[in-house]
Amino acid sequence: MKIGVNYYPEQWNGSLWEKDAEMMAQTGVKIVRIGQFAWSRLEPKDGEFNFNRLDDIMRMFKRYGIEVVIGIPTNCPPLWMYEAHPEIRRVNPDGKKVQLGIRGHRCINSPVFMDYAKRITERLVRRYGSDPNVAAWQIDNEPDSYPCTCEVCREKFHTWLINKYDTLENINSVFGTAVWSGEYSDISQIQPPAAYPEELQNPALCLEYSRFCSDSTAEFVKEIVMIIKRECPKAKVTANVCFSQHNPDFYRLFSELDFVSYDNCPTLRIPDDPDANYSAAFYLDLMRGVKGRNFWVMEQLSSSAECCYEMPPTARPGQLSGYAFQALAHGADNILHFRWRSAVSGAEMFFHGLIDHSNIPGRRFYEFSEFCKAAMKLNVLDTTEIVSDVAILYYPDNEWAFRIQPHSGGFDYMEQMKSFHTAFSRYGANVDIVHPDADLSGYKAVIAPAMYIYKKSAAENIYRYVINGGTLVLTSRSGVKDANNNCIMNSLPTVYKELIGAEVAEYDSIGSHEQTIVDFSGNQFSCRQWCDILRLTTAKAYAEYNDSFYKCCPAVTMNRYCSGVAYYVGTVCHADFYESLVGNIMRQTGMPRLMGLPKGVEVTTRTNGLNDFICFFNNSEKEAVISLPKSMYSIIESIGKEKIDLKPFGFDIVRK
């Protein structure tokens, strides 16, 4: 387990390098990431390479016992390349080329750009691939599925469609182009989605272009991996990702990579809304689930971070170390803070680092230093993993499809997942977030929120899980669309009707309007956004509506199916409902529950098969006290404890 930093030596006078490296070593930094934006320094002119400075930097970090992650700098080609080859620039949906001056403005489908990308990769790996101090290689920076509409992308999209659908007639059929007289008579007529709002355009076309863009990103990553592995077969290769407007399919993206890396930016302002799912734990668990094993945090927030809008608040005392610990608790093995020092120039100068512009170490730096010392005690976690009884299913197609056609005001696919994740976390349960095709057999409960786009293998997997005795929760807006993003002509939830033992007679999009439901015990909960009015076949009503013309109609159902149980939640509720439902499911399935955890306290367990290590993190601005069932040994404080006292954003680990 290593704690490190992101470092950009090309942005600093060389006189600072040695001082920085020495200070890093004294602080406890074990690993640095360099190089991902340094292409213009490495290749100042076409075909003229200069690695002298990078050689010096590599030798310097080796002297101080600090490992290096080398970033392949393909995100920011030098300006000479754009000047010589203007065709490599991305083209926006409005048909205009992206203006130079920002990053990531190259088209990854451009064969010209790809040749240059492979060449710089090959040169770097040949030079440093045999260096044992290189811990890993990072491809590009935050690879995204940008919707480029250049001529190369258009033609490649045409080929992609023909490879998938064989004929133009099949494309017309699955796209439903008879609507608005949009039938294609020639493949050249198929254009990427335009600059119009996506909800006004063909949903099938928009979804297929999202898939194409994601596939293009994954193919680009694969090509660079092949170069690295050809030159250095034992190299460890990753890519750092974040959540953005155009998320790629992370499962496909990382299929060719050795491990997942994530850029973690938790919110620094705790929201006043008690229902807000603000914890970064959800995204950390999702990243761990991409490959089903522990991951790295390649960029960990060090303080207020903004380069587009006004600056948010600075990190409160304890947040910097607390959020780094939270990442460890959810399966991160190595964490690199972004960044060592705040930049004094460029768009990210107010994306604050550990050391401010003054270059004088302050409160945040000393907190980071203390965390580095604490991390040295955590080598007991090096061989541990997270084993979960609960899985939440995440399907990228659903995310893309809901973006294309937004639903009721406030209805959000990710929030559907977060509500259940937060509820299970309130009871101290580990949660995996996995692809719908993942092996579900080891889970006591599976949550499948808004399975909007039909995927045959996923539906079969869900049925198989329940048939074999699993407990499933399905929610509204499931089974709505076929694989082509067209509505299925059947009563909802179509393919899942038999499983849930009910069907949707009608639905009501109520937006922010609040209504109520009453469960089987007489407990009343508020609901909003969406109301499926259910007609029972074999299911029983778990909760009924208490308002509107569908008062007394089922809102939530429970159905015994073969050896398992399937719940259906037909509306969207506040946190108290999800905690109640999840609590009942955990009790019925025999999952242990930690009762009475203070608000904001998160508990996860990492295990090596012999010992369990329970991680406590106080993700709130109030002190918290947790009583333990017996005296347990604190890894952090090296003493036995009968209770855990946590300051705001404080943390502890005990051996069970």
Side-chain angles (χ1 to χ4, degrees):
M1 183 171 291
K2 301 180 181 72
I3 307 301
V5 295
N6 290 245
Y7 190 56
Y8 300 91
E10 69 276 7
Q11 298 179 16
W12 305 107
N13 188 291
S15 63
L16 289 172
W17 297 349
E18 192 82 22
K19 297 174 184 177
D20 285 340
E22 181 180 12
M23 193 173 180
M24 289 178 193
Q26 292 172 349
T27 304
V29 168
K30 301 297 183 185
I31 189 168
V32 298
R33 182 187 67 167
I34 60 174
Q36 78 268 25
F37 295 133
W39 196 342
S40 63
R41 288 292 177 91
L42 300 174
E43 191 179 1
K45 293 182 179 180
D46 191 350
E48 296 182 14
F49 298 93
N50 186 346
F51 296 112
N52 294 335
R53 292 178 180 176
L54 186 53
D55 289 344
D56 293 340
I57 292 162
M58 295 291 290
R59 286 191 292 265
M60 177 186 70
F61 282 124
K62 185 178 293 186
R63 286 198 307 272
Y64 286 100
I66 299 173
E67 292 184 326
V68 174
V69 176
I70 297 180
I72 303 296
T74 50
N75 188 265
C76 291
L79 291 180
W80 58 254
M81 191 184 303
Y82 290 107
E83 186 177 58
H85 304 284
E87 71 275 16
I88 73 171
R89 283 164 58 186
R90 270 197 301 119
V91 176
N92 286 324
D94 62 4
K96 296 180 180 179
K97 289 186 176 182
V98 174
Q99 287 186 313
L100 299 181
I102 58 172
R103 69 186 192 189
H105 34 35
R106 74 284 185 266
C107 173
I108 58 175
N109 282 327
S110 165
V112 175
F113 166 73
M114 197 68 217
D115 286 343
Y116 279 109
K118 289 179 178 179
R119 187 174 74 177
I120 188 66
T121 301
E122 183 179 74
R123 291 298 184 104
L124 282 166
V125 181
R126 284 182 178 177
R127 195 171 190 93
Y128 304 110
S130 61
D131 188 340
N133 204 48
V134 176
W137 296 81
Q138 176 195 292
I139 295 175
D140 207 68
N141 182 74
E142 297 177 348
D144 207 338
S145 52
Y146 299 110
C148 179
T149 62
C150 73
E151 205 56 46
V152 171
C153 287
R154 291 167 188 257
E155 292 183 9
K156 191 170 182 179
F157 182 47
H158 295 160
T159 302
W160 186 89
L161 286 172
I162 291 297
N163 287 340
K164 183 171 184 177
Y165 293 112
D166 293 328
T167 67
L168 194 61
E169 290 73 21
N170 290 338
I171 295 173
N172 275 315
S173 175
V174 299
F175 279 19
T177 52
V179 175
W180 291 355
S181 192
E183 291 170 298
Y184 306 119
S185 56
D186 189 89
I187 192 70
S188 64
Q189 297 167 356
I190 302 178
Q191 302 296 325
Y196 300 117
E198 280 191 303
E199 56 265 33
L200 296 179
Q201 301 184 65
N202 187 316
L205 169 69
C206 291
L207 180 57
E208 287 293 31
Y209 206 70
S210 291
R211 289 167 173 161
F212 163 74
C213 293
S214 180
D215 283 359
S216 295
T217 304
E219 188 63 28
F220 165 71
V221 168
K222 180 180 178 181
E223 290 288 327
I224 302 300
V225 170
M226 290 172 62
I227 296 293
I228 297 173
K229 295 287 188 178
R230 186 188 69 198
E231 300 295 331
C232 185
K234 295 183 179 180
K236 298 299 182 185
V237 188
T238 189
N240 63 318
V241 296
C242 65
F243 287 86
S244 65
Q245 183 182 1
H246 300 289
N247 292 330
D249 181 337
F250 296 122
Y251 304 102
R252 175 117 197 276
L253 180 74
F254 282 102
S255 63
E256 302 292 333
L257 295 168
D258 294 296
F259 60 93
V260 171
S261 293
Y262 174 54
D263 293 350
N264 186 33
C265 289
T267 180
L268 295 178
R269 190 195 298 270
I270 303 300
D272 295 327
D273 182 0
D275 269 0
N277 298 307
Y278 64 87
S279 178
F282 169 82
Y283 297 105
L284 296 167
D285 286 343
L286 195 157
M287 285 295 112
R288 190 185 68 251
V290 170
K291 290 185 80 71
R293 57 178 182 265
N294 293 357
F295 60 101
W296 289 27
V297 171
M298 198 63 80
E299 295 184 15
Q300 174 69 28
L301 188 69
S302 295
S303 187
S304 57
E306 193 51 72
C307 64
C308 301
Y309 306 103
E310 68 275 7
M311 276 186 281
T314 189
R316 299 304 188 248
Q319 279 187 321
L320 187 148
S321 57
Y323 285 135
F325 174 82
Q326 181 191 40
L328 293 176
H330 286 269
D333 280 344
N334 298 317
I335 297 178
L336 285 74
H337 282 255
F338 184 90
R339 49 195 286 164
W340 173 249
R341 182 189 293 109
S342 302
V344 296
S345 58
E348 290 187 329
M349 63 175 67
F350 295 121
F351 204 122
H352 292 80
L354 297 168
I355 302 173
D356 283 331
H357 299 118
S358 65
N359 205 30
I360 300 173
R363 172 181 61 86
R364 297 194 314 279
F365 177 83
Y366 291 117
E367 185 176 318
F368 170 75
S369 179
E370 290 301 310
F371 182 72
C372 287
K373 294 175 184 176
M376 294 178 186
K377 301 179 181 180
L378 302 182
N379 58 348
V380 294
L381 299 181
D382 283 352
T383 58
T384 63
E385 61 181 355
I386 292 179
V387 178
S388 304
D389 287 329
V390 181
I392 298 175
L393 306 187
Y394 164 64
Y395 187 32
D397 279 21
N398 290 336
E399 183 184 357
W400 297 333
F402 279 119
R403 184 197 71 211
I404 293 164
Q405 289 181 306
H407 277 47
S408 176
F411 189 96
D412 183 87
Y413 176 59
M414 287 293 201
E415 287 299 316
Q416 297 283 296
M417 292 185 284
K418 288 179 183 178
S419 293
F420 284 99
H421 184 274
T422 300
F424 279 108
S425 297
R426 290 284 292 130
Y427 294 107
N430 288 347
V431 181
D432 290 345
I433 302 174
V434 300
H435 192 276
D437 287 338
D439 181 5
L440 305 178
S441 60
Y443 297 109
K444 293 183 178 179
V446 170
I447 314 300
M451 294 298 291
Y452 188 63
I453 297 294
Y454 171 65
K455 189 173 192 290
K456 185 173 184 290
S457 59
E460 291 173 347
N461 198 30
I462 289 170
Y463 266 90
R464 188 182 309 114
Y465 168 73
V466 178
I467 288 170
N468 290 330
T471 296
L472 173 80
V473 179
L474 198 70
T475 77
S476 60
R477 309 313 288 151
S478 292
V480 178
K481 299 287 196 78
D482 64 18
N484 302 309
N485 206 14
N486 297 313
C487 285
I488 298 174
M489 193 179 290
N490 201 337
S491 56
L492 296 172
T494 63
V495 295
Y496 301 106
K497 280 192 301 184
E498 181 182 342
L499 184 64
I500 71 165
E503 63 183 14
V504 178
E506 189 176 354
Y507 54 70
D508 190 10
S509 173
I510 63 174
S512 60
H513 179 67
E514 296 266 338
Q515 297 184 173
T516 55
I517 62 173
V518 180
D519 74 5
F520 65 93
S521 296
N523 300 309
Q524 185 169 295
F525 305 97
S526 294
C527 67
R528 52 193 169 166
Q529 297 175 10
W530 197 271
C531 296
D532 276 345
I533 305 158
L534 299 168
R535 181 186 300 119
L536 304 180
T537 51
T538 59
K540 295 181 179 179
Y542 181 95
E544 296 177 340
Y545 292 109
N546 199 38
D547 306 280
S548 194
F549 65 90
Y550 39 89
K551 181 177 181 179
C552 298
C553 290
V556 182
T557 62
M558 183 195 76
N559 186 50
R560 298 194 179 279
Y561 187 82
C562 295
S563 299
V565 177
Y567 291 83
Y568 184 85
V569 180
T571 187
V572 179
C573 295
H574 292 282
D576 56 348
F577 168 76
Y578 296 104
E579 289 180 23
S580 174
L581 174 64
V582 160
N584 287 337
I585 289 173
M586 292 180 73
R587 184 174 62 252
Q588 292 162 11
T589 55
M591 280 187 260
R593 293 182 296 164
L594 290 178
M595 305 297 291
L597 281 175
K599 182 80 171 174
V601 171
E602 300 175 4
V603 181
T604 53
T605 303
R606 291 182 60 149
T607 182
N608 58 16
L610 297 174
N611 292 302
D612 293 341
F613 299 93
I614 307 174
C615 305
F616 294 87
F617 170 53
N618 181 15
N619 195 2
S620 78
E621 295 175 314
K622 297 180 180 179
E623 293 189 6
V625 179
I626 305 99
S627 297
L628 300 174
K630 62 179 181 178
S631 180
M632 296 183 181
Y633 182 76
S634 168
I635 304 298
I636 300 294
E637 298 184 33
S638 302
I639 58 172
K641 286 185 172 183
E642 294 185 352
K643 64 177 182 178
I644 303 291
D645 293 283
L646 298 177
K647 295 180 180 179
F649 310 106
F651 55 89
D652 203 349
I653 300 179
V654 297
R655 182 185 292 115
K656 188 174 180 180

